[in-house]
Amino acid sequence: MATDYTRYARQLIFPGIGKEGQEKLLKARVVLVGCGADGSAIADRLVRAGVGHLTLIDRDFIELNNLQRQALYDEDDLRANLPKAVAAEHKLRRINSQVEVVGVVADLNAENAEDLLAGADLVMDGADNFEVRYIINDVCVKHGIPWVYCGVVASYGMTMTIIPHQTPCLRCLFPDAPPPGATPTCDTAGIANPIVTVVAGIAAAEGLKLLVGSGEHNRGVIHVDLWENTFDTFDGGPPRVDCPTCGQGDYEFLERPSGAQAVSLCGRDAVQIRVPGAQRLALAAVAERLRGVGQVTAVNDYLLRFKAGEIEITLFADARAIVKGTSDEAVARSLYSKYVGV
Ligand SMILES: [Zn+2]
């Protein structure tokens, strides 16, 4: 399909992008990891700006409390019981049918990260946990892909632009990943929604500048707090020679054995269960079997939702599940084997 440049008229007359920049955007391949609040805002900006190809990776489904801040989703998506990656793909295609948008329902981890991210011109972070950001950092430094960190909670947020070997990487400034549960999340500390558009807007601008090759980059950390009304910029200095990742080429987050198969999702009273190497499930057939032992409340091509007492299990086609109603990993694992039995 020939590109209709009329759509981009206001970018073509903006000197920071122009015709040449627009052509670079149209050829760009971007991967966005996580399509919640930040991810929605970033994807919306990039798709309207006309990136050529956008892959969205998200492991989750839409819940009512997401609509307060996750701007790609609405009540119809909630009723349709769609995974975020699928609902986001549909919405973004309606916004700009010239962009090739691909939603991937998956949990980015050490085993699949290189397959999912390699080949991108830019990786954008819309993730909700630190473990995945250290995996992104390893892949991006290893493959020389620029990436933009973005995180918000409560009334504050932070963004960092990583151009491998030119600016500090995530581990240059934050050598160790905080242990799970050690940092506040939207589920534990809440969030005032305007911080999302502010910080994701800065991150999206960084992404566009990287793709177009113009403008001044954030070479450290930008931190904004909308309740304290503080806007701070920290210069990260040069990359650290003793950084394990970009200084020494030790990609230890990719080499670690894949994390636990059951991981409590902080603040959500839920546990994610992964089954590495599992075959894809025929969800309709599983639903038939489960109808005898509980209440199947949703089933479609992407997920199956099942209630047994206070426990709700959302099972994805890749055999991954989110068990809601417990934060005890052992309990969740045993419920999974009892009902899904993989
Ligand atoms: Zn580094």
Side-chain angles (χ1 to χ4, degrees):
M1 184 174 37
T3 301
D4 183 353
Y5 282 87
T6 324
R7 177 192 292 267
Y8 307 115
R10 299 301 179 272
Q11 267 170 209
L12 298 179
I13 56 175
F14 168 60
I17 298 181
K19 181 88 191 304
E20 204 180 313
Q22 188 64 52
E23 276 166 5
K24 289 181 186 163
L25 290 179
L26 291 167
K27 287 192 197 108
R29 298 184 74 84
V30 181
V31 180
L32 169 66
V33 181
C35 210
D38 294 340
S40 283
I42 291 167
D44 177 82
R45 296 295 91 178
L46 296 183
V47 163
R48 288 180 193 274
V51 298
H53 191 288
L54 178 67
T55 301
L56 313 160
I57 302 164
D58 194 281
R59 65 181 182 183
D60 221 334
F61 52 86
I62 303 164
E63 296 178 277
L64 180 59
N65 79 56
N66 298 156
L67 301 188
Q68 172 246 8
R69 63 195 177 283
Q70 304 188 11
L72 285 180
Y73 313 118
D74 57 35
E75 293 181 4
D76 286 345
D77 299 318
L78 185 69
R79 278 188 288 271
N81 288 303
L82 293 176
K84 288 182 187 175
V86 174
E89 180 192 305
H90 293 169
K91 185 70 54 76
L92 292 164
R93 284 176 180 271
R94 289 203 295 277
I95 290 170
N96 189 346
S97 58
Q98 296 185 340
V99 179
E100 204 178 325
V101 182
V102 178
V104 178
V105 186
D107 181 42
L108 189 91
N109 55 54
E111 282 125 59
N112 62 16
E114 285 190 88
D115 286 343
L116 288 168
L117 304 183
D121 299 310
L122 169 71
V123 172
M124 297 296 294
D125 165 28
D128 62 355
N129 68 91
F130 276 95
E131 190 193 348
V132 79
R133 294 189 175 111
Y134 283 82
I135 293 172
I136 293 171
N137 190 60
D138 271 9
V139 175
C140 287
V141 172
K142 186 174 174 184
H143 293 270
I145 305 167
W147 76 280
V148 182
Y149 165 112
C150 179
V152 296
V153 65
S155 60
Y156 59 91
M158 193 177 105
T159 176
M160 185 177 164
T161 299
I162 293 104
I163 309 173
H165 307 296
Q166 290 182 41
T167 69
C169 83
L170 184 64
R171 290 196 83 188
C172 286
L173 299 192
F174 306 97
D176 296 305
T183 49
T185 70
C186 293
D187 296 304
T188 59
I191 181 162
N193 64 16
I195 191 64
V196 174
T197 26
V198 173
V199 177
I202 298 171
E206 288 291 311
L208 292 175
K209 287 183 281 183
L210 285 164
L211 294 173
V212 167
S214 72
E216 286 297 321
H217 290 298
N218 166 23
R219 302 186 69 87
V221 172
I222 294 175
H223 186 281
V224 178
D225 187 325
L226 293 182
W227 247 246
E228 298 299 327
N229 221 24
T230 55
F231 298 78
D232 294 303
T233 304
F234 304 95
D235 191 323
R240 270 179 39 203
V241 186
D242 62 344
C243 168
T245 312
C246 72
Q248 294 166 11
D250 179 8
Y251 306 111
E252 62 178 286
F253 289 86
L254 295 182
E255 282 141 25
R256 277 180 190 180
S258 63
Q261 296 183 8
V263 179
S264 177
L265 301 174
C266 178
R268 281 183 56 183
D269 194 29
V271 175
Q272 176 180 248
I273 308 274
R274 294 174 48 220
V275 186
Q279 298 210 323
R280 287 187 80 76
L281 299 176
L283 293 173
V286 180
E288 273 314 303
R289 190 158 53 74
L290 288 174
R291 281 197 175 98
V293 284
Q295 190 193 357
V296 174
T297 55
V299 61
N300 55 39
D301 290 347
Y302 314 102
L303 63 80
L304 180 168
R305 187 162 298 133
F306 167 74
K307 272 188 108 155
E310 295 301 297
I311 297 289
E312 183 183 82
I313 300 178
T314 301
L315 180 66
F316 297 90
D318 63 0
R320 199 165 47 83
I322 294 177
V323 180
K324 200 170 164 186
T326 181
S327 50
D328 185 322
E329 292 162 10
V331 168
R333 255 200 319 266
S334 85
L335 288 165
Y336 185 93
S337 21
K338 177 174 169 190
Y339 292 115
V340 185
V342 177

